Amino acid sequence: MASKLGSKKRKAVTRDAPEADEVALSDGGDDFETALFNGIDSQGEDDVDEDDDSGSSDLLENDSDTEEEEGSDGDLVSDEVPSEGEDETDGEEKGSRAASSGSQDKYVDGEPAANYTVAEDANGNTRYIYKDIDPVQDSDDSDAPATQNTIGNIPLSFYDAYPIIGYDINGKKIARPAKGEALDALLDSIEVPKGWTGLTDPATGKPLELSQQELEVLKRIQMNEVPEEGYDPYPATIEYFTSIPEGMPLSAAPEPKRRFVPSKHEAKRVMKIVRAIRMGRILPYKPPMQEEDDTEIKNFDIWANEAPRKDHPMNIPAPKVPPPIHEESYHPPPEYLPDHNEKKQWEEADEEERDDFLPTNHESLRKVPGYDRFVKEKFERCLDLYLAPRVRRSKLNIDPESLLPKLPSPEELRPFPTTCATIFRGHEGRVRSLAMHPSGLWLASGGDDGTVRIWELLSGRQIWSVKISGGEAVNVVRWRPNPEAVILSAATGEDVYLIVPSIIDPEVEATSREVLDAGWGYAVGGASSNRTKEPATQWARPGTRLEDEGVLVKFSLRSTVKVISWHRRGEYFSTVSPNGQTSAVAIHTLSKHLTQLPFRKLKGLAQAAQFHPSSKPFFFLATQRLVRVYDLSRQELIKIIQPGARLISSFDVHPGGDNLIVGSYDRRLLWHDLELSVRPYRVLRYHQKAIRAVKFHSSLPLFCDASDDGSLQVFHGKVVEDMTENASIVPLKVLRGHQAKQEIGVMDIDWHPREGAYISL
């Protein structure tokens, strides 16, 4: 293995080094490596043998010192003073090195000499040792002394257990300086040198000495003097940026526009402040006035600076005292003097009725006594001047009633109901619903007794009745609007019945039965077999007993039905079940006996529903707070009306289709103009309790509402086709006569189709 390595390396000159071998055998490899490192890094030595000998001698000296320190802790090698021979040897070595370095000239044969020295390392190889670079004035080298201890930022306390305090730049150990009794004895025998401070350099562990110049600087600083002569504590300011404008700007970028264009933002701010000053919102500062305690009474003459002016109706000059007349003279003519009776009459008269004074004759002016009413008249005069206006103001004489809108007289708006004409009696318990036939001949009603009754309107007698429920109340009854067939719909609980009463001629009755029977033929024809979904409800016949009495069709929903509303053609009708959730609103086709649920989910509880009264395919649905308008043909939501009521009870659409009235349980009647806004056009409050029902007249400009307080309010509501004119609403009559039972008053109302009369229950 050794032969292989030797073949690859360059052959080195071998020399005998017995001392190095002895050191390698006696100590470990650490000191040998240290000696070898010192031999390699040594600079300025020409002879390699001398280098090796010095390295080995240093190594032996270090080893001997280490052995003596381990053998005896009390004896310190550093206490021994070096001999003169050793000093001379060191001086000769230093001189030889200086001679060898000084012998090198800067120029050899006119060319620059090399700045290095050729030497051999421990293995005999060539080694180039370069000289230290001499820093010039432009160099960044500092004048700070070179650090002798190379341990860096490691505290010296880490070396307390070792006899050294670190290593120098060449890797040699720096021995710990002597201290203790030996050092004290040495200091006692040696005089204190100049610059001794008694401090220790933390980097080297040696005493810190200061030069005489440094001591002088410290002394001057302690005495608050200038550190050195010529030091200026207040040097002149160096202006890095001159105040003289230069021709060339600091930046080549173009000038921004804001530097030469007036700022619009600042102009707006200034105008805002100017407006505030003009309007008086910003007032100039006024210093507080010192209140002067004047005990004197100040008198002000309001006409002191009265200058003559031209005649002007807005200028009132100061009133002048009229000149005295004959009877006011102190020596009036005899004809102005009163006689004894006139004087007695003037004294007996009241002060407010008699003249202001009584003429009196005096022989001379010096005999005129003081005026007894002087003080009183001066006071009245000053009072007149104080209360007299300086400027004549034109007073507006406006009648407050003229500011109110001119409403037509109720006598001009007839016909409208004013008195109770007929009372229909026959139901047992409360009557919950009524409906007027489109012909105006019959009236249908339903109540808690489970019966549906039909009355003749002119005579007030009952002409037909049927009991459709044993325990459930009839909540709603409605007529089919088409007069060709007489069909009555009624709802009790969850069941809905279609009835053809036997009060009409046989031809109309037969036509009515054919309309209802057409749905059975549609089902038999197989149209229902094409449906994939299960129908919402099943249409069926109610039974033999009810069929004999005219009840022909029956179907049931999932919850109690409260509202029935027919389409104007009579082909469709809708039902509302507030507690039905998904089946709350249902639309039924009469000719097909088909029920559809148009809404899968409703936001809020449904309260009422109604078709558009004209040909538009609109469907109105009222929840507790909103009224939504849907287009059935396109199946989309068109508008959301916001009445602002807490809980809607009922609503009705004007026959024209552009206006809507809403009644609420919070005692308000709200008129909506659908073309104007989704908010109410008018809010009417005429009731003390909740409003149960509202209704428009089909042909006259009338509408009314019914409340739980037992009263009905009749209004005149005129709607014109001109879009520039708003609807006129005039309250006409308050009708009373119903008695509230269990906090429930009037339940339902309906108008006569042609006359200005209505029915209420």
Side-chain angles (χ1 to χ4, degrees):
M1 188 68 179
S3 62
K4 292 181 180 180
L5 294 174
S7 62
K8 292 182 180 180
K9 292 184 179 180
R10 187 173 54 181
K11 189 174 182 181
V13 179
T14 59
R15 293 179 176 87
D16 296 334
E19 296 178 357
D21 296 337
E22 293 176 359
V23 172
L25 293 175
S26 61
D27 296 337
D30 295 338
D31 294 333
F32 179 75
E33 292 176 359
T34 304
L36 187 61
F37 179 79
N38 292 333
I40 294 173
D41 291 343
S42 61
Q43 300 178 9
E45 297 179 359
D46 297 334
D47 192 357
V48 179
D49 296 336
E50 293 178 2
D51 185 21
D52 293 339
D53 295 339
S54 63
S56 60
S57 62
D58 293 340
L59 182 59
L60 292 175
E61 289 177 3
N62 291 337
D63 292 340
S64 63
D65 294 343
T66 305
E67 291 176 356
E68 290 177 3
E69 288 174 0
E70 292 178 355
S72 59
D73 296 336
D75 297 337
L76 297 175
V77 179
S78 61
D79 294 342
E80 298 178 359
V81 180
S83 61
E84 296 178 358
E86 294 176 355
D87 294 342
E88 293 176 359
T89 305
D90 296 336
E92 291 177 0
E93 293 177 358
K94 292 179 180 179
S96 62
R97 292 174 185 174
S100 62
S101 60
S103 61
Q104 301 293 335
D105 296 333
K106 295 183 178 180
Y107 294 90
V108 177
D109 297 334
E111 295 182 0
N115 60 343
Y116 59 87
T117 303
V118 180
E120 292 184 359
D121 56 6
N123 297 325
N125 298 327
T126 303
R127 179 183 178 189
Y128 297 93
I129 302 174
Y130 290 87
K131 297 180 181 180
D132 294 338
I133 298 175
D134 184 14
V136 296
Q137 185 177 0
D138 297 337
S139 175
D140 293 337
D141 183 69
S142 61
D143 296 335
T147 304
Q148 298 180 5
N149 197 347
T150 59
I151 61 174
N153 295 330
I154 299 176
L156 290 176
S157 60
F158 287 6
Y159 290 89
D160 290 345
Y162 300 94
I164 61 175
I165 61 173
Y167 301 89
D168 59 4
I169 191 63
N170 295 323
K172 294 183 179 181
K173 297 179 181 180
I174 301 176
R176 184 182 300 277
K179 61 181 179 178
E181 297 177 357
L183 183 60
D184 294 338
L186 181 62
L187 292 177
D188 293 340
S189 62
I190 301 175
E191 295 181 359
V192 178
K194 293 183 179 181
W196 181 82
T197 59
L199 303 177
T200 303
D201 190 356
T204 61
K206 295 181 179 180
L208 179 63
E209 296 181 0
L210 299 178
S211 62
Q212 185 65 26
Q213 184 179 2
E214 292 174 345
L215 292 174
E216 291 291 337
V217 171
L218 291 176
K219 183 178 179 180
R220 290 183 180 183
I221 292 175
Q222 289 179 352
M223 298 179 66
N224 294 330
E225 296 180 357
V226 178
E228 59 183 4
E229 295 181 0
Y231 176 78
D232 186 8
Y234 306 104
T237 304
I238 299 175
E239 296 184 358
Y240 294 97
F241 298 96
T242 178
S243 59
I244 302 174
E246 300 293 340
M248 186 64 181
L250 296 178
S251 175
E255 290 288 332
K257 189 176 180 181
R258 63 177 178 272
R259 294 189 181 177
F260 54 86
V261 175
S263 175
K264 295 184 178 180
H265 175 70
E266 293 180 357
K268 290 182 180 178
R269 294 286 301 273
V270 172
M271 288 307 301
K272 186 177 181 180
I273 298 174
V274 170
R275 292 193 201 97
I277 295 174
R278 291 176 179 176
M279 297 175 64
R281 289 187 281 109
I282 297 179
L283 300 177
Y285 173 76
K286 293 183 179 179
M289 301 295 294
Q290 296 182 357
E291 297 182 358
E292 298 179 358
D293 297 336
D294 295 339
T295 57
E296 299 180 359
I297 300 175
K298 294 183 179 180
N299 298 323
F300 299 94
D301 187 2
I302 59 176
W303 278 290
N305 299 325
E306 185 71 16
R309 301 180 183 179
K310 297 181 179 180
D311 293 339
H312 194 273
M314 304 304 293
N315 179 36
I316 300 178
K320 304 298 182 181
V321 179
I325 55 178
H326 294 289
E327 60 182 5
E328 295 178 355
S329 174
Y330 71 94
H331 186 58
E335 60 270 15
Y336 288 99
L337 296 175
D339 54 9
H340 180 70
N341 295 332
E342 291 177 353
K343 185 176 181 180
K344 185 178 180 180
Q345 185 179 0
W346 182 86
E347 292 177 354
E348 293 178 354
D350 191 4
E351 293 183 0
E352 296 181 357
E353 295 180 359
R354 66 187 180 184
D355 296 337
D356 295 338
F357 69 97
L358 186 65
T360 306
N361 185 19
H362 301 280
E363 294 181 0
S364 61
L365 186 61
R366 60 185 177 84
K367 293 183 179 181
V368 177
Y371 186 45
D372 56 349
R373 299 181 59 191
F374 175 78
V375 177
K376 185 177 181 179
E377 286 187 358
K378 288 298 181 183
F379 171 74
E380 292 178 353
R381 171 63 176 169
C382 293
L383 188 63
D384 293 342
L385 295 176
Y386 172 72
L387 298 178
R390 295 300 309 274
V391 178
R392 182 180 291 111
R393 298 183 181 275
S394 58
K395 191 175 182 180
L396 299 178
N397 296 324
I398 300 175
D399 186 9
E401 296 182 357
S402 62
L403 300 177
L404 298 175
K406 295 181 179 180
L407 299 177
S409 175
E411 300 297 331
E412 300 175 359
L413 301 178
R414 290 183 180 275
F416 58 87
T418 56
T419 58
C420 179
T422 307
I423 298 177
F424 301 89
R425 303 181 186 273
H427 279 281
E428 297 178 0
R430 185 184 300 276
V431 182
R432 294 188 173 270
S433 179
L434 60 86
M436 185 78 69
H437 190 266
S439 63
L441 300 177
W442 306 297
L443 172 68
S445 63
D448 290 346
D449 54 1
T451 61
V452 177
R453 302 173 186 267
I454 298 178
W455 314 78
E456 189 177 9
L457 191 60
L458 296 178
S459 61
R461 64 184 181 89
Q462 177 182 324
I463 58 177
W464 185 85
S465 67
V466 61
K467 188 174 183 62
I468 59 177
S469 175
E472 296 284 347
V474 179
N475 294 320
V476 58
V477 292
R478 290 293 181 266
W479 291 97
R480 182 173 180 264
N482 195 341
E484 296 178 357
V486 179
I487 299 175
L488 177 66
S489 60
T492 169
E494 300 177 356
D495 301 330
V496 179
Y497 298 89
L498 299 179
I499 307 169
V500 179
S502 57
I503 58 173
I504 51 179
D505 54 2
E507 295 181 359
V508 178
E509 184 177 356
T511 304
S512 303
R513 289 179 177 271
E514 289 177 0
V515 171
L516 294 179
D517 292 340
W520 307 120
Y522 181 82
V524 171
S528 61
S529 61
N530 296 329
R531 305 192 196 106
T532 58
K533 295 183 179 180
E534 184 179 356
T537 183
Q538 294 291 339
W539 294 51
R541 299 185 183 274
T544 305
R545 182 186 68 82
L546 293 177
E547 288 182 10
D548 294 341
E549 295 182 0
V551 182
L552 302 180
V553 179
K554 171 188 175 182
F555 61 89
S556 299
L557 297 174
R558 300 174 186 177
S559 59
T560 303
V561 179
K562 294 291 185 180
V563 180
I564 296 178
S565 177
W566 283 85
H567 190 267
R568 65 183 186 87
R569 295 181 180 178
E571 177 66 16
Y572 308 97
F573 67 96
S574 64
T575 58
V576 176
S577 304
N579 299 325
Q581 297 180 358
T582 58
S583 62
V585 180
I587 298 178
H588 313 276
T589 305
L590 186 62
S591 61
K592 299 180 181 180
H593 288 189
L594 179 63
T595 300
Q596 297 176 346
L597 303 177
F599 304 102
R600 295 180 180 178
K601 185 177 181 181
L602 286 177
K603 296 181 180 179
L605 298 178
Q607 299 294 323
Q610 190 173 342
F611 292 95
H612 196 278
S614 63
S615 58
K616 295 181 180 180
F618 293 165
F619 185 73
F620 296 82
L621 176 62
T623 57
Q624 292 176 325
R625 292 179 178 270
L626 303 174
V627 179
R628 293 179 171 85
V629 184
Y630 296 91
D631 190 341
L632 297 179
S633 61
R634 293 187 295 177
Q635 298 181 2
E636 64 180 5
L637 178 64
I638 298 177
K639 187 181 296 184
I640 298 178
I641 302 172
Q642 302 175 5
R646 296 181 181 177
L647 185 59
I648 297 175
S649 61
S650 60
F651 76 95
D652 193 21
V653 185
H654 191 270
D658 294 335
N659 293 270
L660 179 75
I661 55 174
V662 179
S664 64
Y665 287 106
D666 54 357
R667 304 172 297 176
R668 290 189 295 175
L669 177 64
L670 306 110
W671 179 293
H672 286 266
D673 190 342
L674 302 182
E675 299 293 336
L676 183 63
S677 173
V678 296
R679 299 287 183 178
Y681 166 66
R682 286 287 185 271
V683 179
L684 308 175
R685 297 180 178 89
Y686 290 99
H687 293 282
Q688 301 298 326
K689 293 185 178 181
I691 296 177
R692 290 277 178 176
V694 293
K695 190 70 176 179
F696 273 112
H697 197 284
S698 59
S699 58
L700 297 178
L702 298 173
F703 68 94
C704 63
D705 61 357
S707 174
D708 281 343
D709 58 5
S711 64
L712 296 96
Q713 182 77 39
V714 182
F715 298 89
H716 172 83
K718 184 179 179 181
V719 179
V720 296
E721 296 181 357
D722 188 4
M723 301 297 294
T724 61
E725 185 177 353
N726 296 326
S728 61
I729 303 172
V730 181
L732 298 177
K733 187 70 175 179
V734 179
L735 300 177
R736 306 180 187 275
H738 293 273
Q739 295 181 359
K741 296 181 180 180
Q742 299 178 357
E743 300 296 331
I744 297 178
V746 184
M747 296 287 293
D748 198 4
I749 54 177
D750 198 3
W751 287 95
H752 191 279
R754 294 182 301 275
E755 304 294 337
Y758 70 89
I759 307 298
S760 63
L761 53 88

